Amino acid sequence: MTDHAETGPSGTAAATDARGRVAELRAIREEALRGPSEAATAAQYAKGKRTARERIALLLDEGSFNEVGALRRHRATGFGLEAKRPYTDGVVTGWGLVHGRPVFVYAHDFRIFGGALGEAHAAKIHKIMDMAITAGAPLVSLNDGAGARIQEGVSALAGYGGIFQRNTRASGVIPQISVMLGPCAGGAAYSPALTDFVFMVRETAQMFITGPDVVQAVTGAQVSQNGLGGADVHAATSGVAHFAYDDEESCIEEVRFLLSLLPANNRENPPAAPTEDPADRRCESLVDLVPAEGNQPYDMRAVIEELVDDGEFLEVHERWAENIICALARLDGQVVGVVANQPQALAGVLDISASEKAARFVQMCDAFNIPILTLLDVPGFLPGVDQEHGGIIRHGAKLLYAYCNATVPRISVVLRKAYGGAYIVMDSQSIGADVTLAWPTNEIAVMGAEGAANVIFRRQIAAAEDPEGTRLRMVKEYKAELMHPYYAAERGLVDDVIEPAETRAVLVQAFAMLRTKHADLPVRKHGNPPQ
């Protein structure tokens, strides 16, 4: 005889009990979603900040968020923690979609323990980071926390160690983006520094290792939180922040735009996008944008705008090391990374900061299969005692190492001048550029004609009856013999001299040809780049 499910009174009781458990679960979930008191939420709003869930809603496509660990609570006792065990433990974690593509996210909830990190809080972040690495999808952190949770002692510090270890393991594997929407002090600041991009919101976000009180106690200097580690400081002075915005909405919208330009991981190519901008569009205005005279400044951004699809590009580190431009853009729908000297700032020379900025950008592009376009107009490295004592040799070598190590398609274009070691470092053919091009206005040489003539012909000039006239004649001869536009092409140092108006069409064709490029580095554990 076949047994049947129990339908008597005890079965009814079991069903009632199950419905009760479901109702209890719903209540718990509602509590977790609701968060702390209305007063805590009002205090967050009063600071000009949104809640963690509101920020996630801005980042992800509508209705796509899947939360992980919503019911997690800390297990610490003592120091008042046993009386307060809120769900989520002060961090919301999960995954969703950005432009239809998977992205993992965690967001500190400042309303709970000031967003401070404890054992359970860290475990949730570790979990979502591991999931992002395993799934091969970008990770975005929305930071708004007061550092380690003091009541949990060394357990909190160990939690940070786990985050740093995973940041490092994910480096070059998946894109990691840190969005600073509140305070980030002490050891917590090292996690954003390990990621690929750092966004900050003015006034509400600060990053520093030691706060203003400690700085004053140790050095006597008085400084505000924003003066010490605000968005503008890190975007323009320290170079810690790649982007700075006035409000959370525009900041997070730009994060979404950046994600649209990046691949999900290092095994994929960046997503292509349809464009109505013709691949063979002539750029007639380039002749007028770039003066023929090498000492005349111009805005390299206007050149980039003319070349790329629809004139749209995302500049990285826009306000730091302004003598070099690093940007992400598209050519014929395909993502490229652009590195370009900026003659409007320090005449476009390379210095310590510019070398570091460009080196990191080149490494990022190479890690994520983004082809690199280099636009040269560089008079050399910045001379000076401060630069030499600051290690310009070591820092310049970082950029050289990054280019030499890069295996993605690389194309360089000499717009105007390219002198000395700076020319070599800026992805010349001799360090592995796949295609090297030049405009008819190019001057590729060891140094400018004036300096070269003064060195080579100094005795003749000194002995001449008319030193100034002799010097000018020697300068003219040097230019005619060694700096004419076709000198480098005649010796195979550039592949072709092209009309400026043809640049976009030539670049599109060359990058299309290089799309199947495959290059292997020697087998090794890792290189030892200059630091």
Side-chain angles (χ1 to χ4, degrees):
M1 183 174 182
T2 304
D3 292 333
H4 294 281
E6 190 173 359
T7 57
S10 60
T12 302
T16 301
D17 183 57
R19 283 191 290 270
R21 293 296 180 91
V22 170
E24 180 185 18
L25 173 61
R26 288 175 179 166
I28 291 173
R29 287 193 177 278
E30 288 176 3
E31 180 182 345
L33 290 171
R34 185 168 59 250
S37 66
E38 293 182 4
T41 302
Q44 183 81 344
Y45 290 157
K47 296 173 184 174
K49 301 194 293 184
R50 291 175 174 265
T51 66
R53 295 182 189 280
E54 289 171 342
R55 290 163 171 168
I56 290 174
L58 285 175
L59 174 68
L60 301 178
D61 296 347
E62 186 175 356
S64 68
F65 182 51
N66 297 273
E67 189 166 353
V68 174
L71 307 185
R72 190 67 187 264
R73 298 198 290 183
H74 72 76
R75 60 182 178 179
T77 58
F79 303 103
L81 286 181
E82 69 279 359
K84 188 177 182 183
R85 299 181 65 230
Y87 293 108
T88 75
D89 200 50
V91 64
V92 181
T93 60
W95 79 90
L97 303 176
V98 174
H99 301 301
R101 302 164 66 217
V103 171
F104 288 79
V105 61
Y106 68 86
H108 298 123
D109 191 340
F110 193 84
R111 302 172 302 164
I112 297 175
F113 302 130
L117 181 139
E119 181 184 29
H121 184 119
K124 289 182 63 177
I125 296 176
H126 296 169
K127 169 75 174 180
I128 212 66
M129 294 180 78
D130 289 340
M131 291 177 70
I133 295 169
T134 301
L139 174 71
V140 178
S141 62
L142 304 175
N143 297 270
D144 186 7
R149 194 175 300 171
I150 299 172
Q151 298 93 326
E152 296 195 31
V154 73
S155 295
L157 295 179
Y160 275 122
I163 293 173
F164 303 157
Q165 191 269 343
R166 287 167 173 82
N167 283 139
T168 304
R169 185 153 52 90
S171 182
V173 178
I174 58 171
Q176 298 180 85
I177 300 173
S178 297
V179 188
M180 315 312 295
L181 303 168
C184 184
Y190 285 115
S191 178
L194 289 169
T195 60
D196 300 301
F197 298 97
V198 176
F199 288 72
M200 292 188 74
V201 173
R202 294 184 177 93
E203 301 304 322
T204 57
Q206 302 89 28
M207 295 173 65
F208 38 70
I209 299 300
T210 54
D213 292 342
V214 176
V215 169
Q216 183 176 359
V218 174
T219 69
Q222 290 186 330
V223 63
S224 67
Q225 288 194 346
N226 280 319
L228 181 63
D232 288 323
V233 168
H234 286 312
T237 304
S238 72
V240 171
H242 300 78
F243 307 94
Y245 297 94
D246 290 330
D247 56 76
E248 294 187 9
E249 291 81 3
S250 58
C251 179
I252 294 175
E253 183 58 35
E254 285 297 278
V255 174
R256 287 175 56 87
F257 179 51
L258 173 59
L259 286 167
S260 74
L261 297 168
L262 299 175
N265 56 64
N266 65 344
R267 301 183 302 278
E268 297 183 6
N269 291 323
T275 179
E276 296 181 0
D277 196 347
D280 59 352
R281 170 173 54 82
R282 289 181 62 83
C283 306
E284 301 290 354
S285 65
L286 290 178
V287 175
D288 299 320
L289 284 174
V290 181
E293 289 298 320
N295 60 354
Q296 294 295 313
Y298 62 93
D299 190 355
M300 184 64 82
R301 292 187 183 91
V303 175
I304 298 171
E305 186 176 332
E306 182 66 21
L307 290 174
V308 302
D309 292 355
D310 304 311
E312 186 176 44
F313 60 92
L314 179 64
E315 187 170 351
V316 179
H317 270 144
E318 179 180 356
R319 297 174 56 208
W320 181 59
E322 295 180 76
N323 42 322
I324 200 160
I325 295 173
C326 298
L328 292 170
R330 281 193 167 90
L331 277 173
D332 196 29
Q334 303 292 331
V335 178
V336 295
V338 181
V339 180
N341 306 110
Q342 173 57 295
Q344 272 195 339
L346 296 176
V349 297
L350 288 179
D351 61 1
I352 289 173
S353 295
S355 299
E356 287 193 339
K357 170 180 171 177
R360 185 95 195 288
F361 183 76
V362 169
Q363 288 175 170
M364 184 280 300
C365 289
D366 188 51
F368 294 116
N369 308 313
I370 300 172
I372 301 169
L373 167 63
T374 305
L375 303 176
L376 287 87
D377 191 347
V378 59
F381 282 94
L382 180 65
V385 175
D386 290 345
Q387 288 290 306
E388 295 296 345
H389 289 185
I392 184 63
I393 297 172
R394 177 166 49 87
H395 293 286
K398 293 179 182 179
L399 180 55
L400 180 60
Y401 187 98
Y403 269 126
C404 290
N405 205 46
T407 60
V408 293
R410 293 153 49 191
I411 299 176
S412 63
V413 184
V414 180
L415 275 59
R416 207 167 53 169
K417 57 188 178 296
Y419 296 158
Y423 153 63
I424 300 297
V425 167
M426 289 288 293
D427 206 18
S428 62
Q429 187 177 103
S430 61
I431 67 169
D434 298 295
V435 177
T436 53
L437 306 167
W439 286 2
T441 47
N442 83 84
E443 293 181 354
I444 302 174
V446 175
M447 62 175 68
E450 295 277 349
N454 288 336
V455 171
I456 298 171
F457 306 113
R458 66 180 182 277
R459 290 181 180 176
Q460 294 95 315
I461 293 171
E465 292 182 2
D466 179 15
E468 181 59 19
T470 302
R471 187 186 67 82
L472 292 176
R473 189 178 72 255
M474 296 300 184
V475 168
K476 186 176 181 180
E477 288 181 9
Y478 184 87
K479 280 189 173 182
E481 290 294 325
L482 298 178
M483 294 182 64
H484 65 80
Y486 305 101
Y487 182 86
E490 289 172 2
R491 283 151 184 80
L493 299 176
V494 298
D495 296 309
D496 198 6
V497 179
I498 62 172
E499 292 183 31
E502 298 173 348
T503 306
R504 173 179 165 86
V506 172
L507 289 175
V508 168
Q509 292 172 0
F511 276 123
M513 175 272 296
L514 290 167
R515 203 162 293 151
T516 55
K517 174 185 175 181
H518 177 76
D520 290 321
L521 294 173
V523 175
R524 57 183 173 181
K525 184 175 181 181
H526 56 73
N528 187 24
Q531 296 296 325

